[in-house]
Every structure is written in C-alpha cells, then in structure tokens.
C-alpha cells in the first residue's frame, strides 16, 4: 500500500497543530462561531444533532491494519466505540467533542489519516474501484491515478473555492464498481486498440435535488494527460459554474445547461491553451507512486484450493457465504472477501471498534495487510488465499461480520438520516433495519437475488436513492416522516435514475411496500431476470398497482 | 409555548435554557408562554459565544403526560438516535423520556395515509 512521504506527513502534522491553535482561540472566545465554522469544516468537523461529527477521509477506500487499529482506538477513546462508513468511503464518528478534536487529528496524522477534503467546496476525498489491483478485468490500477489526483488536488489554491463541492470516482476495470456516472467527474481507465492507456472521462453526473448521470465528454484521454485535463475541466467549472444558487452550483447543472458537447468543447479549448507539461505528472513521479501499489507477497498457488472446495461441501453456511461474499481474484489461488457491515437489524455501515480490530487482524494476517471500504458501505479483504477463506469466514462470523448478503435485499445503503444529520427530513436507518429484518431469511434473500435498496434522509441523496433498484427518500410532510419510493435506478454499468412509484408512504408502510414490490417481481420475473430487469421489462404499472389502491 | 435550545460549544451536547442556566434535559427546560420573554432569552443566549453554538427557540406543545417539542427533529435531539437507544439522553430513561418518546407530531397527515390502501 502507498505510504505518505515526508512532505505529506509534515503537512498533516502542521495541519493538526494549526487546528489545535484555532480550536483554542474559538474556546477562548477570540474568534466567533461564524469565523470558526469554515475552519472546523475544513478539518472535517461538523456539528450535527447530538454532538460534533468528525468525517475522516479514507482516500480511495484503502486501509491497512495500522490505520484500522488507529480508527478503532480513536472510536473507543473519543467516541462511543464505533464508526460509520459512508458512501464516499469516509468514516464518520458521531459523538465527538470539540475539545478532543485536535488530539484526534494528531493521533490520525500518526498513521497518515486525516479529515482533509471531507468538507467544503473543494475536490473531495477520491473514491475508486474497491477491487483495484485484485481484479482481472482491469486495464490499470486506479489507485495509482487516484493517489496522483489526491496529491495534486490537496490544498490546490486554484480549486479551494469552487462553486460547490466536487467529487471524483476512478475505476480501471470494465465492470463499474465505483459508480462513476453519479459523480462530478468519473474516470475509467482502458487500453485502446493500439495499446495506449487512456481515460474515458465523464463529467456532470451527480444526485441531489436534480439527478444526472454523467455523460462522456472524452472517450480517449491519454492517461499521462490526466491532471492537465482535470485542470481544464475545473477551470471551466470555476469560471462558469453558478455561485448565486446553491441548488444549481454543481457541475452537473453547468454541463446540462451547456450540453455535454459544448462543455467538452470549452474544456478542450482551455486544455489546448494550457501548459500541459507544467501540470501533468512526470513519468518518474508516476513510477514512484506506482511502486507504492506494487503487489507484494503473493504466493504462486494453484487456481483451485482443495481446502476451499471441501469447506463449501461440508458447511452450507460457508457455501452460501462463498456464493455472495467471495469474488475471484486475478491472482490464482486468491480471492476477495466482502465483509458485510449489514448484519440484520444493525445500522448499515456501522462498525464497532472491536470489529475494526478483528478486520485489522485479518487484513494483517490473511490479506497482505490491506482492507478496502466500498461505497456500498461494506469492507473488503482484497487478497485472501482461497486456502484461508474458511478460517477468515469463521473469524468474521464470530464478530458478526459474515452476513452472506452482498448485493442482496438486506445489503442496504442508508445515510445517517434524521437520527444524526442536521440536514435530514426523516430517518433512514430504522427503515433499513425494518426491511432487513423482514428479509432476514438467507434463503429468501437468495431467492430474490440481486436487489439494491438505497435510502437517503433528504434530497441531498448521500444514500444514493436515485440509483437504487428501489430508492427510498425521506421527506417531511407537516412535521412527520414520509418516504418517497423510486424504482429502476442503478448506479453501475446499467446506470439509470429511478422513477417515482407514487405518493409518499408513512414510515410503517415502507417495509410492507417493499414486500409487495418483491411479490410482484417474484410473480412476474422470467428466468434469469433480476428485480431491475423485470422492472425494465414490465414497467412501473404492476408494481404501482400492488402498493397503491389506485394505479393512477 | 416555546423553549430555548442550543448545542454546547465544547462537546456539542444538546442543552436547554432554564432561567439563565443551560441544562441537559428537556424536562428541565423553561417553557415560555410569552414570546417577548422567549426572544429576550434568545437574544441573551446569542451573546454567550464561548458557551454555545446556534441557540434558537423551538415550539413546544402539551402531549399526553406532559410537554414535548412539536417537531420530530427536536424530540430526537432531546432523546438521542433511535437506532441506538443506549446513546444520547434517552439512555437515562425515566418517565420524562417516555413522554418524549411517545409524543406524536403535532401535524396530522392522516388524509395521506388513507389514500394508500392495499388492493
Ligand atoms: S442524504 Fe440528507 S439526511 Fe442523509 S446524510 Fe445526506 S444530508 Fe444527511
């Protein structure tokens, strides 16, 4: 795993010291809350309903045992012994005290963790394919490029005051596991027919009040020009993006207003006029970063593991786990293991300090000291020997981390919602808990197959509801929690924005409505169809009819 | 009826005003019948910058067994997150917490619910 160099490390230490002084001044009354608020936000410290919340960046979702252990230590020392992984692969601690924040940032800096780029109108923490470096369908390791963007964008003076926050997702694989179409910029590495490594560049995606899937603005950008091209996009956005209306300030509105073609033309014009060499990564620097991600420690193994195959035959629970939580690795004899943070009835994305310790130990002992965070609020042990998979499974199961539900109906994305978030209209977590309990039976969940439910507590859409096969949005109707359902969204390869099912439902009607939707699906589906396929074929009507008395 | 609330600066804890003091429990909050008195308290709170963040007035109404904030969001602040009953003020339990936990929204959305019947 890439390690921060001395420059990064010194920067983090300085930043923590600076924040300590700023906190002191705020507590002493030398600066006002209005002056302090942007400063604490720039350090990831939000004030939510019950306490301060610290959002810790996990660049491209990459963790190792030292980082996980430090997060566990911070969570149990300064918070209530748990953390919440988000759809931006950050970790949020929900019970932080302002007076502890400087000590926490110091502790995090010690292992190269921080809360930079987790707030404000800057380029936010990068996300990437969580299978990076482990999947066979990859043209290049996206972490190399994500790290280059991280270094380039951190504290970038020109892009510290954009019209609005800016999110980038990167993948190097054919299959999209990074939801690249729903972000301000999506990047997909591929190898062109002549062998050149290139990016497909998407811009102007985003959820929120007005959802858009990002159109491709350049099919083939030579990879070496990534940074100069990003600079051109950001310059056009910085110049033309709206600053008068917060709801129209994201780049998606600019791209939609200009049209993707015109936007691309302006970006090209800016790009051609710029001094590319001054910005693009020198080959030596790229090689240095790349070396940080070089695979180390893989053994030469046969592709089939007798231990793994026997365990599947002997233990049906393990076989089920293997079907849903274990994925093929590019290295023969290895696999990726999904660690489900969606135990039935628990809060999606929550991970206790003890669980973090367990995962740290497993990463260190069995996964070449790596763990990943996925945007679907789970973790991954990316490099486990098939021979070791049964042992890893047992240790995960002992810590309630082996729910065999990845991609299934109980693998629900839910934002913190009104239980924590100051912006929320309604709760998201209890809705997820209700649904998961209703579909607790692993046999039933397996019979239903892939079904992605995504819940947001307000239109900001941190829970990605627009791109859920079933999306659930919390709304406030005269002070009560109601939920708007959408169907047919998808965030990945077959990306689409969900369509509204009908009038919003009261909280207690949501889980029964999911039941009704699933019944329709099971009745209507033809062989091999997933929920979303049936919806796409049969349309909204049968689903709507099942949930509402009137279909109009 | 109104009450005055804020988050405490040092730790973010939800606090309620009672005659110049800031207390943790909604049950201890001073209830204002007189708008002018409430606003004067709020104005004073806004000067307590080393103690508080964002003091504001909330609507309070009578409910079964006592009084509770009208909005669901404010009741949640006075209780804690519903997914973790062991966290937040609700962890203390007791009759006053029960009253808040069982209060319903002042606004009714019944008409909406009736619309949604299963076939
Ligand atoms: S979607 Fe809304 S409620 Fe949920 S975390 Fe984002 S801002 Fe908060």
């Amino acid at each position: 795993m890439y390690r921060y160099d001395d420059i990064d490390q010194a920067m983090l230490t300085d930043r923590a010291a600076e924040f300590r002084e700023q906190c002191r001044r705020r507590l002493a009354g030398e600066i006002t809350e209005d002056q302090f608020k942007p400063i604490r936000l720039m350090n990831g410290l939000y004030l939510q309903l019950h306490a301060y919340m610290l959002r810790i960046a996990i660049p491209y979702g990459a963790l190792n045992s030292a980082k996980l252990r430090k997060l566990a230590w911070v969570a149990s020392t300064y918070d209530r012994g748990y953390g919440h992984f988000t759809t931006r692969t950050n970790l949020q601690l929900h019970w932080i005290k302002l007076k502890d924040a400087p000590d926490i940032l110091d502790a995090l800096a010690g292992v190269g963790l921080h809360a930079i780029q987790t707030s404000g109108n800057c380029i936010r923490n990068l996300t990437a394919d969580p299978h990076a470096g482990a999947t066979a369908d990859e043209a290049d390791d996206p972490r190399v490029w994500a790290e280059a963007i991280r270094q380039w964008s951190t504290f970038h003076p020109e892009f510290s005051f954009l019209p609005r926050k800016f999110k980038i997702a990167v993948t190097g694989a054919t299959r999209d596991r990074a939801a690249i179409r729903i972000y301000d910029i999506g990047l997909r590495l591929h190898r062109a027919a002549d062998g050149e490594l290139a990016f497909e560049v998407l811009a102007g995606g985003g959820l929120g009040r007005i959802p858009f899937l990002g159109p491709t603005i350049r099919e083939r950008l030579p990879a070496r020009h990534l940074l100069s091209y990003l600079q051109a996009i950001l310059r056009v956005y910085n110049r033309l993006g709206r600053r008068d209306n917060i709801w129209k300030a994201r780049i998606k509105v600019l791209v939609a207003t200009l049209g993707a073609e015109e936007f691309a033309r302006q970006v090209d014009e800016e790009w051609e006029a710029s001094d590319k060499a001054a910005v693009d990564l020198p080959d030596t620097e790229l090689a240095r970063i790349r070396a940080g991600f070089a695979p180390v420690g893989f053994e030469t193994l046969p592709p089939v593991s007798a231990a793994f195959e026997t365990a599947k035959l002997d233990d049906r629970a393990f076989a089920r786990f293997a079907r849903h939580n274990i994925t093929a690795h590019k290295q023969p004899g290895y696999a990726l293991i999904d660690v489900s943070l969606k135990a039935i009835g628990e809060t999606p994305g929550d991970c206790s300090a003890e669980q973090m310790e367990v995962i740290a130990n497993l990463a260190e002992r069995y996964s070449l000291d790596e763990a990943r965070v996925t945007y679907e609020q789970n973790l991954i042990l990316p490099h486990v020997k098939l021979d070791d998979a049964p042992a890893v499974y047992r240790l995960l199961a002992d810590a309630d981390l082996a729910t065999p539900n990845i991609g299934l109906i109980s693998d629900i994305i839910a934002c913190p919602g009104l239980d924590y978030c100051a912006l929320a209209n309604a709760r998201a977590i209890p809705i997820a808990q209700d649904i998961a309990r209703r579909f607790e039976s692993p046999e039933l969940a397996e019979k239903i197959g892939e079904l992605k439910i995504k819940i947001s507590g307000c239109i900001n859409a941190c829970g990605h509801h627009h791109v859920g096969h079933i999306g659930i949005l919390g709304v406030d109707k005269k002070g009560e929690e109601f939920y708007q359902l959408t169907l047919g969204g998808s965030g990945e390869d077959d990306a689409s924005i969900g369509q509204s099912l009908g009038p919003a439902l009261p909280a207690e009607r949501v889980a029964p409505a999911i039941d009704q939707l699933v019944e329709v699906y099971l009745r209507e589906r033809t062989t091999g169809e997933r929920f979303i396929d049936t919806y796409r074929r049969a349309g909204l009507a049968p689903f709507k009819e099942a949930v509402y008395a009137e279909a109009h | 009826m109104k009450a005055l609330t804020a988050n405490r600066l040092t730790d973010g804890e939800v606090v309620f005003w009672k005659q110049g003091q800031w207390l943790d429990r909604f049950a201890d909050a001073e209830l204002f019948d007189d708008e002018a008195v409430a606003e004067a308290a709020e104005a004073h709170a806004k000067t307590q910058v080393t103690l508080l963040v964002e003091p504001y007035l909330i609507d309070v109404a009578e409910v079964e067994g006592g009084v509770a904030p009208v909005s669901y969001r404010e009741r949640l602040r006075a209780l804690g997150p519903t997914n973790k009953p062991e966290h937040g003020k609700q962890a203390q339990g007791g009759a006053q917490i029960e009253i808040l936990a069982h209060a319903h929204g002042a606004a009714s959305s019944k008409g909406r619910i009736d619309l949604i019947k299963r076939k």
Side-chain angles (χ1 to χ4, degrees):
Chain A
M1 189 175 161
Y2 183 83
R3 279 184 196 286
Y4 283 2
D5 59 14
D6 294 347
I7 299 173
D8 277 306
Q9 213 53 62
M11 199 165 76
L12 293 188
T13 311
D14 283 358
R15 177 74 164 207
E18 184 187 53
F19 189 55
R20 181 176 295 280
E21 174 62 9
Q22 288 157 336
C23 284
R24 187 200 63 72
R25 294 182 68 205
R26 173 67 184 100
L27 290 166
E30 292 168 23
I31 49 176
T32 66
E33 182 63 17
D34 284 349
Q35 291 163 333
F36 181 64
K37 188 174 172 183
I39 294 170
R40 73 165 154 74
L41 286 174
M42 277 188 274
N43 289 284
L45 196 64
Y46 290 69
L47 181 60
Q48 296 205 306
L49 294 183
H50 314 291
Y52 291 93
M53 176 271 281
L54 183 67
R55 184 180 290 159
I56 300 165
I58 301 171
Y60 37 91
L63 287 169
N64 59 15
S65 57
K67 290 184 183 193
L68 270 163
R69 286 190 187 116
K70 188 61 81 176
L71 291 172
W73 181 81
V74 167
S76 50
T77 309
Y78 296 105
D79 203 275
R80 307 255 160 121
Y82 76 101
H84 174 79
F85 287 100
T86 73
T87 52
R88 280 304 288 175
T89 74
N90 295 311
L91 182 77
Q92 295 188 173
L93 298 174
H94 285 146
W95 297 92
I96 294 299
K97 297 178 167 67
L98 175 61
K99 57 184 164 63
D100 293 335
D103 292 340
I104 298 174
L105 290 190
D106 269 346
L108 293 174
V111 291
L113 282 170
H114 54 82
I116 295 160
Q117 290 177 297
T118 62
S119 170
N121 295 337
C122 62
I123 298 171
R124 295 288 188 92
N125 181 39
L126 277 277
T127 51
D129 183 1
H131 288 198
T135 179
D137 69 338
E138 190 167 80
D140 192 24
D141 191 330
R143 294 171 302 170
V144 173
W145 301 93
E147 173 58 23
I149 300 171
R150 187 197 67 75
Q151 293 183 18
W152 166 76
S153 65
T154 300
F155 304 149
H156 194 306
E158 189 179 339
F159 306 131
S160 295
F161 188 58
L162 295 166
R164 199 74 179 89
K165 58 188 168 183
F166 204 90
K167 300 175 182 178
I168 303 177
V170 197
T171 182
T174 348
R175 169 139 178 242
D176 180 7
R177 284 169 293 251
I180 61 168
R181 293 198 66 191
I182 67 169
Y183 291 116
D184 298 282
I185 290 181
L187 297 169
R188 189 178 68 81
L189 278 154
H190 58 95
R191 225 169 254 288
D194 58 8
E196 186 187 50
L197 189 64
F199 281 100
E200 177 188 350
V201 182
L202 295 80
L207 302 179
R209 186 168 290 197
I210 325 169
F212 285 105
L213 298 175
T216 299
I217 61 161
R218 197 174 185 101
E219 294 279 355
R220 181 175 170 179
L221 173 76
R224 66 182 185 284
H225 288 310
L226 177 66
L227 296 183
S228 59
Y229 194 75
L230 290 180
Q231 173 182 273
I233 296 177
L234 280 148
R235 282 189 168 165
V236 171
Y237 172 51
N238 222 358
R239 198 183 302 139
L240 301 179
R242 288 183 60 171
R243 292 175 184 268
D244 60 319
N245 180 340
I246 192 174
W247 300 110
K248 295 189 173 165
R250 295 288 289 267
I251 194 176
K252 62 189 177 182
V253 175
L254 177 64
V255 174
T257 309
L258 291 177
E261 246 172 67
E262 172 57 18
F263 178 77
R265 192 196 62 74
Q266 296 203 21
V267 169
D268 276 351
E269 200 174 274
E270 172 65 41
W271 186 48
E272 291 304 343
S274 68
D275 179 0
K276 295 175 193 159
V279 188
D280 284 329
L281 211 56
D283 288 345
T284 48
E285 181 58 11
L286 182 65
R288 188 190 68 82
I289 296 177
R290 189 177 289 285
F293 294 100
V296 271
F298 283 113
E299 293 172 27
T300 308
L301 297 172
V304 176
S305 150
F308 179 66
E309 297 304 325
T310 314
K312 281 196 291 186
L313 290 175
D314 290 351
D315 179 352
R316 288 178 57 188
F318 177 67
R320 186 185 302 283
F321 179 82
R323 281 199 293 282
H324 299 291
N325 296 39
I326 299 186
T327 321
H329 199 286
K330 68 175 179 187
Q331 184 77 18
Y334 284 80
L336 296 106
I337 295 191
D338 278 275
V339 178
S340 172
L341 300 183
K342 312 291 176 69
I344 306 298
E346 297 296 326
T347 302
D350 272 15
C351 191
S352 71
E354 294 77 30
Q355 289 176 321
M356 290 181 211
E357 292 277 359
V358 168
I359 299 160
N361 293 341
L362 290 174
E364 187 173 42
R365 175 146 180 225
Y366 294 109
S367 183
L368 305 179
D369 203 22
E370 277 194 53
R372 307 275 172 78
V373 188
T374 77
Y375 82 89
E376 291 178 307
Q377 298 179 290
N378 292 307
L379 299 179
I380 290 180
L381 293 167
H383 311 300
V384 180
K385 282 187 218 167
L386 284 170
D387 289 344
D388 293 333
V392 170
Y393 163 71
R394 278 191 297 277
L395 293 164
L396 286 173
D398 287 346
D400 205 15
L401 289 166
T403 312
N405 62 351
I406 299 301
L408 301 182
I409 189 164
S410 54
D411 183 8
I412 301 169
I413 292 185
C415 77
L418 190 54
D419 281 305
Y420 300 90
C421 176
L423 302 171
N425 284 326
R427 289 172 299 161
I429 295 165
I431 301 290
Q433 291 171 315
D434 271 4
I435 298 169
R437 283 195 201 100
R438 196 168 270 261
F439 295 95
E440 180 168 10
S441 148
E443 291 78 23
L444 177 59
E446 192 164 53
K447 179 177 162 202
I448 296 165
E450 184 184 300
L451 208 178
K452 302 201 173 186
I453 299 181
K454 308 190 184 207
I455 314 177
S456 306
C458 82
I459 196 64
N460 286 329
C462 305
H464 294 182
H465 64 277
H466 296 293
V467 291
H469 295 172
I470 300 176
I472 304 176
L473 164 66
V475 294
D476 174 338
K477 279 196 191 299
K478 301 190 184 141
E480 291 199 24
E481 297 170 296
F482 271 69
Y483 296 87
Q484 175 74 61
L485 270 55
T486 50
L487 294 190
S490 168
E492 301 188 341
D493 292 313
D494 53 353
S496 56
I497 303 286
Q499 297 297 310
S500 169
L501 182 70
L505 304 171
E508 66 279 7
R509 279 282 289 117
V510 177
I514 303 300
D515 231 352
Q516 291 161 342
L517 294 171
V518 167
E519 265 176 43
V520 173
Y521 159 62
L522 292 177
R523 187 185 74 213
E524 302 277 327
R525 73 174 169 188
T526 59
T527 317
E529 269 187 350
R530 302 168 302 159
F531 178 90
I532 190 163
D533 302 323
T534 302
Y535 164 81
R536 283 176 177 161
R537 179 177 53 75
L540 200 64
F543 295 98
K544 189 165 181 162
E545 221 171 87
V547 175
Y548 300 99
E550 290 148 6
H552 309 284
Chain B
M1 237 184 318
K2 303 258 185 209
L4 180 56
T5 185
N7 289 79
R8 195 157 54 206
L9 174 66
T10 51
D11 56 5
E13 180 76 31
V14 174
V15 287
F16 300 93
W17 164 280
K18 184 183 183 186
Q19 292 164 348
Q21 283 181 286
W22 290 97
L23 304 172
D24 285 6
R25 299 179 342 142
F26 174 77
D28 296 329
E30 181 174 349
L31 304 175
F32 302 100
D33 283 318
D34 185 334
E35 290 264 335
V37 179
E39 278 162 23
E42 187 191 19
H44 175 71
K46 287 196 164 146
T47 66
Q48 297 180 297
V49 294
T50 53
L51 219 58
L52 306 171
V53 185
E54 285 177 39
Y56 59 98
L57 291 166
I58 57 171
D59 289 322
V60 176
E62 284 183 14
V63 294
E64 210 184 310
V67 287
V70 169
S71 91
Y72 187 69
R73 178 184 196 270
E74 290 306 325
R75 290 202 297 280
L76 230 147
R77 282 180 76 240
L79 285 166
T82 59
N83 65 322
K84 296 206 197 277
E86 71 278 22
H87 292 164
K89 301 171 192 300
Q90 60 197 350
Q92 299 164 6
Q96 297 298 325
I97 291 292
E98 286 302 307
I99 292 169
L100 288 177
H102 290 104
H104 289 283
S108 156
S109 304
K110 280 211 179 61
R112 214 41 169 181
I113 298 169
D114 287 343
L115 215 172
I116 300 150
K117 277 191 303 229
R118 217 177 151 191
K119 227 176 153 180

